[in-house]
PDB file of all heavy atoms in Angstrom:
ATOM      1  N   LEU A   1     124.230  78.237 114.873  1.00 95.00           N
ATOM      2  CA  LEU A   1     123.058  77.888 115.728  1.00 95.00           C
ATOM      3  C   LEU A   1     122.225  79.131 115.970  1.00 95.00           C
ATOM      4  O   LEU A   1     120.974  79.009 115.873  1.00 95.00           O
ATOM      5  CB  LEU A   1     123.557  77.334 117.055  1.00 95.00           C
ATOM      6  CG  LEU A   1     124.220  75.891 117.040  1.00 95.00           C
ATOM      7  CD1 LEU A   1     124.728  75.554 118.342  1.00 95.00           C
ATOM      8  CD2 LEU A   1     123.189  74.861 116.523  1.00 95.00           C
ATOM      9  N   VAL A   2     122.874  80.239 116.263  1.00 93.00           N
ATOM     10  CA  VAL A   2     122.101  81.433 116.614  1.00 93.00           C
ATOM     11  C   VAL A   2     121.337  81.943 115.393  1.00 93.00           C
ATOM     12  O   VAL A   2     120.144  82.302 115.469  1.00 93.00           O
ATOM     13  CB  VAL A   2     123.090  82.605 117.012  1.00 93.00           C
ATOM     14  CG1 VAL A   2     122.364  83.861 117.094  1.00 93.00           C
ATOM     15  CG2 VAL A   2     123.594  82.271 118.448  1.00 93.00           C
ATOM     16  N   GLY A   3     121.991  81.853 114.178  1.00 94.00           N
ATOM     17  CA  GLY A   3     121.395  82.246 112.996  1.00 94.00           C
ATOM     18  C   GLY A   3     120.214  81.418 112.577  1.00 94.00           C
ATOM     19  O   GLY A   3     119.068  81.896 112.093  1.00 94.00           O
ATOM     20  N   ILE A   4     120.370  80.097 112.857  1.00 96.00           N
ATOM     21  CA  ILE A   4     119.219  79.193 112.552  1.00 96.00           C
ATOM     22  C   ILE A   4     117.975  79.469 113.363  1.00 96.00           C
ATOM     23  O   ILE A   4     116.912  79.605 112.915  1.00 96.00           O
ATOM     24  CB  ILE A   4     119.729  77.717 112.758  1.00 96.00           C
ATOM     25  CG1 ILE A   4     120.624  77.314 111.638  1.00 96.00           C
ATOM     26  CG2 ILE A   4     118.439  76.807 112.853  1.00 96.00           C
ATOM     27  CD1 ILE A   4     121.357  75.979 112.006  1.00 96.00           C
ATOM     28  N   ILE A   5     118.293  79.686 114.664  1.00 95.00           N
ATOM     29  CA  ILE A   5     117.173  79.981 115.628  1.00 95.00           C
ATOM     30  C   ILE A   5     116.527  81.247 115.266  1.00 95.00           C
ATOM     31  O   ILE A   5     115.322  81.399 115.350  1.00 95.00           O
ATOM     32  CB  ILE A   5     117.731  79.983 117.095  1.00 95.00           C
ATOM     33  CG1 ILE A   5     118.224  78.588 117.440  1.00 95.00           C
ATOM     34  CG2 ILE A   5     116.728  80.467 118.071  1.00 95.00           C
ATOM     35  CD1 ILE A   5     118.959  78.535 118.787  1.00 95.00           C
ATOM     36  N   ARG A   6     117.346  82.357 114.937  1.00 93.00           N
ATOM     37  CA  ARG A   6     116.824  83.668 114.726  1.00 93.00           C
ATOM     38  C   ARG A   6     115.950  83.649 113.449  1.00 93.00           C
ATOM     39  O   ARG A   6     114.829  84.211 113.472  1.00 93.00           O
ATOM     40  CB  ARG A   6     117.960  84.625 114.448  1.00 93.00           C
ATOM     41  CG  ARG A   6     117.477  86.091 114.397  1.00 93.00           C
ATOM     42  CD  ARG A   6     118.715  86.985 114.309  1.00 93.00           C
ATOM     43  NE  ARG A   6     119.299  87.192 115.693  1.00 93.00           N
ATOM     44  CZ  ARG A   6     120.476  87.228 116.004  1.00 93.00           C
ATOM     45  NH1 ARG A   6     121.478  86.976 115.042  1.00 93.00           N
ATOM     46  NH2 ARG A   6     120.892  87.391 117.234  1.00 93.00           N
ATOM     47  N   ILE A   7     116.368  82.999 112.357  1.00 95.00           N
ATOM     48  CA  ILE A   7     115.596  83.042 111.146  1.00 95.00           C
ATOM     49  C   ILE A   7     114.382  82.137 111.254  1.00 95.00           C
ATOM     50  O   ILE A   7     113.320  82.412 110.664  1.00 95.00           O
ATOM     51  CB  ILE A   7     116.499  82.484 109.899  1.00 95.00           C
ATOM     52  CG1 ILE A   7     115.836  82.925 108.622  1.00 95.00           C
ATOM     53  CG2 ILE A   7     116.602  80.977 109.972  1.00 95.00           C
ATOM     54  CD1 ILE A   7     116.740  82.737 107.430  1.00 95.00           C
ATOM     55  N   ALA A   8     114.444  81.074 112.112  1.00 95.00           N
ATOM     56  CA  ALA A   8     113.262  80.286 112.323  1.00 95.00           C
ATOM     57  C   ALA A   8     112.153  81.058 113.037  1.00 95.00           C
ATOM     58  O   ALA A   8     110.964  80.825 112.802  1.00 95.00           O
ATOM     59  CB  ALA A   8     113.656  79.056 113.179  1.00 95.00           C
ATOM     60  N   CYS A   9     112.571  82.004 113.949  1.00 92.00           N
ATOM     61  CA  CYS A   9     111.586  82.879 114.601  1.00 92.00           C
ATOM     62  C   CYS A   9     111.095  83.911 113.745  1.00 92.00           C
ATOM     63  O   CYS A   9     109.923  84.247 113.590  1.00 92.00           O
ATOM     64  CB  CYS A   9     112.329  83.505 115.797  1.00 92.00           C
ATOM     65  SG  CYS A   9     111.230  84.543 116.716  1.00 92.00           S
ATOM     66  N   GLN A  10     111.964  84.633 112.961  1.00 92.00           N
ATOM     67  CA  GLN A  10     111.600  85.733 112.156  1.00 92.00           C
ATOM     68  C   GLN A  10     110.903  85.342 110.879  1.00 92.00           C
ATOM     69  O   GLN A  10     110.046  86.093 110.390  1.00 92.00           O
ATOM     70  CB  GLN A  10     112.900  86.537 111.744  1.00 92.00           C
ATOM     71  CG  GLN A  10     113.580  87.274 112.901  1.00 92.00           C
ATOM     72  CD  GLN A  10     114.898  87.874 112.523  1.00 92.00           C
ATOM     73  OE1 GLN A  10     115.383  87.686 111.460  1.00 92.00           O
ATOM     74  NE2 GLN A  10     115.507  88.578 113.480  1.00 92.00           N
ATOM     75  N   LYS A  11     111.062  84.206 110.371  1.00 95.00           N
ATOM     76  CA  LYS A  11     110.526  83.741 109.123  1.00 95.00           C
ATOM     77  C   LYS A  11     109.578  82.535 109.265  1.00 95.00           C
ATOM     78  O   LYS A  11     109.413  81.738 108.394  1.00 95.00           O
ATOM     79  CB  LYS A  11     111.657  83.300 108.093  1.00 95.00           C
ATOM     80  CG  LYS A  11     112.584  84.441 107.732  1.00 95.00           C
ATOM     81  CD  LYS A  11     111.943  85.533 106.977  1.00 95.00           C
ATOM     82  CE  LYS A  11     112.901  86.546 106.492  1.00 95.00           C
ATOM     83  NZ  LYS A  11     112.295  87.739 105.625  1.00 95.00           N
ATOM     84  N   GLN A  12     108.925  82.484 110.418  1.00 94.00           N
ATOM     85  CA  GLN A  12     108.102  81.285 110.751  1.00 94.00           C
ATOM     86  C   GLN A  12     106.974  81.156 109.753  1.00 94.00           C
ATOM     87  O   GLN A  12     106.683  79.983 109.306  1.00 94.00           O
ATOM     88  CB  GLN A  12     107.579  81.482 112.191  1.00 94.00           C
ATOM     89  CG  GLN A  12     106.741  80.290 112.606  1.00 94.00           C
ATOM     90  CD  GLN A  12     106.286  80.346 114.100  1.00 94.00           C
ATOM     91  OE1 GLN A  12     106.736  81.289 114.826  1.00 94.00           O
ATOM     92  NE2 GLN A  12     105.573  79.405 114.590  1.00 94.00           N
ATOM     93  N   MET A  13     106.306  82.275 109.417  1.00 94.00           N
ATOM     94  CA  MET A  13     105.152  82.197 108.467  1.00 94.00           C
ATOM     95  C   MET A  13     105.633  81.680 107.142  1.00 94.00           C
ATOM     96  O   MET A  13     104.972  80.855 106.442  1.00 94.00           O
ATOM     97  CB  MET A  13     104.485  83.597 108.336  1.00 94.00           C
ATOM     98  CG  MET A  13     103.249  83.563 107.445  1.00 94.00           C
ATOM     99  SD  MET A  13     102.393  85.172 107.404  1.00 94.00           S
ATOM    100  CE  MET A  13     101.989  85.350 109.235  1.00 94.00           C
ATOM    101  N   TYR A  14     106.813  82.161 106.617  1.00 96.00           N
ATOM    102  CA  TYR A  14     107.311  81.741 105.356  1.00 96.00           C
ATOM    103  C   TYR A  14     107.669  80.280 105.363  1.00 96.00           C
ATOM    104  O   TYR A  14     107.431  79.555 104.451  1.00 96.00           O
ATOM    105  CB  TYR A  14     108.541  82.575 104.979  1.00 96.00           C
ATOM    106  CG  TYR A  14     109.114  82.207 103.678  1.00 96.00           C
ATOM    107  CD1 TYR A  14     108.659  82.608 102.472  1.00 96.00           C
ATOM    108  CD2 TYR A  14     110.327  81.356 103.692  1.00 96.00           C
ATOM    109  CE1 TYR A  14     109.258  82.187 101.274  1.00 96.00           C
ATOM    110  CE2 TYR A  14     110.925  80.923 102.472  1.00 96.00           C
ATOM    111  CZ  TYR A  14     110.384  81.341 101.264  1.00 96.00           C
ATOM    112  OH  TYR A  14     110.924  80.958 100.134  1.00 96.00           O
ATOM    113  N   ILE A  15     108.300  79.858 106.427  1.00 96.00           N
ATOM    114  CA  ILE A  15     108.700  78.477 106.590  1.00 96.00           C
ATOM    115  C   ILE A  15     107.482  77.558 106.481  1.00 96.00           C
ATOM    116  O   ILE A  15     107.526  76.447 105.818  1.00 96.00           O
ATOM    117  CB  ILE A  15     109.464  78.295 107.960  1.00 96.00           C
ATOM    118  CG1 ILE A  15     110.828  78.916 107.808  1.00 96.00           C
ATOM    119  CG2 ILE A  15     109.661  76.783 108.218  1.00 96.00           C
ATOM    120  CD1 ILE A  15     111.540  78.971 109.148  1.00 96.00           C
ATOM    121  N   THR A  16     106.425  77.905 107.177  1.00 95.00           N
ATOM    122  CA  THR A  16     105.180  77.108 107.095  1.00 95.00           C
ATOM    123  C   THR A  16     104.565  77.190 105.761  1.00 95.00           C
ATOM    124  O   THR A  16     104.157  76.023 105.266  1.00 95.00           O
ATOM    125  CB  THR A  16     104.185  77.747 108.198  1.00 95.00           C
ATOM    126  OG1 THR A  16     104.751  77.714 109.491  1.00 95.00           O
ATOM    127  CG2 THR A  16     102.932  76.862 108.204  1.00 95.00           C
ATOM    128  N   LYS A  17     104.437  78.231 105.074  1.00 94.00           N
ATOM    129  CA  LYS A  17     103.705  78.355 103.815  1.00 94.00           C
ATOM    130  C   LYS A  17     104.635  77.789 102.659  1.00 94.00           C
ATOM    131  O   LYS A  17     104.106  77.065 101.799  1.00 94.00           O
ATOM    132  CB  LYS A  17     103.354  79.766 103.508  1.00 94.00           C
ATOM    133  CG  LYS A  17     102.202  80.296 104.396  1.00 94.00           C
ATOM    134  CD  LYS A  17     101.778  81.654 104.029  1.00 94.00           C
ATOM    135  CE  LYS A  17     100.609  82.138 104.875  1.00 94.00           C
ATOM    136  NZ  LYS A  17     100.143  83.474 104.487  1.00 94.00           N
ATOM    137  N   ALA A  18     105.846  78.237 102.585  1.00 95.00           N
ATOM    138  CA  ALA A  18     106.716  77.862 101.473  1.00 95.00           C
ATOM    139  C   ALA A  18     107.244  76.484 101.619  1.00 95.00           C
ATOM    140  O   ALA A  18     107.516  75.792 100.553  1.00 95.00           O
ATOM    141  CB  ALA A  18     107.770  78.904 101.332  1.00 95.00           C
ATOM    142  N   MET A  19     107.617  75.974 102.789  1.00 95.00           N
ATOM    143  CA  MET A  19     108.248  74.729 102.977  1.00 95.00           C
ATOM    144  C   MET A  19     107.321  73.700 103.570  1.00 95.00           C
ATOM    145  O   MET A  19     107.729  72.511 103.616  1.00 95.00           O
ATOM    146  CB  MET A  19     109.449  74.926 103.932  1.00 95.00           C
ATOM    147  CG  MET A  19     110.438  76.044 103.479  1.00 95.00           C
ATOM    148  SD  MET A  19     111.715  76.202 104.708  1.00 95.00           S
ATOM    149  CE  MET A  19     112.486  77.754 104.197  1.00 95.00           C
ATOM    150  N   ASP A  20     106.205  74.058 103.964  1.00 96.00           N
ATOM    151  CA  ASP A  20     105.266  73.168 104.566  1.00 96.00           C
ATOM    152  C   ASP A  20     105.867  72.403 105.750  1.00 96.00           C
ATOM    153  O   ASP A  20     105.741  71.253 105.958  1.00 96.00           O
ATOM    154  CB  ASP A  20     104.705  72.140 103.665  1.00 96.00           C
ATOM    155  CG  ASP A  20     103.498  71.347 104.101  1.00 96.00           C
ATOM    156  OD1 ASP A  20     102.784  71.956 104.926  1.00 96.00           O
ATOM    157  OD2 ASP A  20     103.250  70.224 103.721  1.00 96.00           O
ATOM    158  N   LEU A  21     106.653  73.229 106.585  1.00 96.00           N
ATOM    159  CA  LEU A  21     107.301  72.782 107.737  1.00 96.00           C
ATOM    160  C   LEU A  21     106.892  73.539 109.005  1.00 96.00           C
ATOM    161  O   LEU A  21     106.609  74.747 108.879  1.00 96.00           O
ATOM    162  CB  LEU A  21     108.806  72.855 107.604  1.00 96.00           C
ATOM    163  CG  LEU A  21     109.448  71.896 106.525  1.00 96.00           C
ATOM    164  CD1 LEU A  21     110.978  72.359 106.495  1.00 96.00           C
ATOM    165  CD2 LEU A  21     109.424  70.446 106.931  1.00 96.00           C
ATOM    166  N   THR A  22     106.778  72.868 110.102  1.00 96.00           N
ATOM    167  CA  THR A  22     106.590  73.615 111.368  1.00 96.00           C
ATOM    168  C   THR A  22     107.991  74.206 111.773  1.00 96.00           C
ATOM    169  O   THR A  22     108.947  73.827 111.179  1.00 96.00           O
ATOM    170  CB  THR A  22     106.168  72.670 112.437  1.00 96.00           C
ATOM    171  OG1 THR A  22     107.180  71.678 112.705  1.00 96.00           O
ATOM    172  CG2 THR A  22     104.892  71.918 112.113  1.00 96.00           C
ATOM    173  N   GLN A  23     107.898  75.096 112.631  1.00 95.00           N
ATOM    174  CA  GLN A  23     109.163  75.749 113.084  1.00 95.00           C
ATOM    175  C   GLN A  23     110.045  74.742 113.715  1.00 95.00           C
ATOM    176  O   GLN A  23     111.254  74.624 113.506  1.00 95.00           O
ATOM    177  CB  GLN A  23     108.791  76.809 114.139  1.00 95.00           C
ATOM    178  CG  GLN A  23     110.132  77.591 114.581  1.00 95.00           C
ATOM    179  CD  GLN A  23     109.803  78.521 115.742  1.00 95.00           C
ATOM    180  OE1 GLN A  23     109.456  78.150 116.808  1.00 95.00           O
ATOM    181  NE2 GLN A  23     109.939  79.844 115.463  1.00 95.00           N
ATOM    182  N   LYS A  24     109.478  73.768 114.490  1.00 95.00           N
ATOM    183  CA  LYS A  24     110.327  72.688 115.125  1.00 95.00           C
ATOM    184  C   LYS A  24     110.942  71.841 114.058  1.00 95.00           C
ATOM    185  O   LYS A  24     112.139  71.380 114.173  1.00 95.00           O
ATOM    186  CB  LYS A  24     109.412  71.813 115.990  1.00 95.00           C
ATOM    187  CG  LYS A  24     110.218  70.769 116.767  1.00 95.00           C
ATOM    188  CD  LYS A  24     109.346  69.988 117.705  1.00 95.00           C
ATOM    189  CE  LYS A  24     110.138  68.999 118.455  1.00 95.00           C
ATOM    190  NZ  LYS A  24     111.028  68.076 117.595  1.00 95.00           N
TER     191      LYS A  24
END
């Protein structure tokens, strides 16, 4: 759970651009 939250914060821009997903 901690790792998921941490990477969602640190890689937010990548998640948005590469996955077309919001952080939520």
Side-chain angles (χ1 to χ4, degrees):
L1 287 173
V2 168
I4 289 168
I5 294 169
R6 185 173 285 136
I7 200 169
C9 179
Q10 295 174 349
K11 300 292 184 179
Q12 184 173 356
M13 186 177 296
Y14 177 81
I15 290 169
T16 301
K17 290 185 176 180
M19 305 177 194
D20 194 26
L21 292 174
T22 63
Q23 185 185 65
K24 183 180 183 306

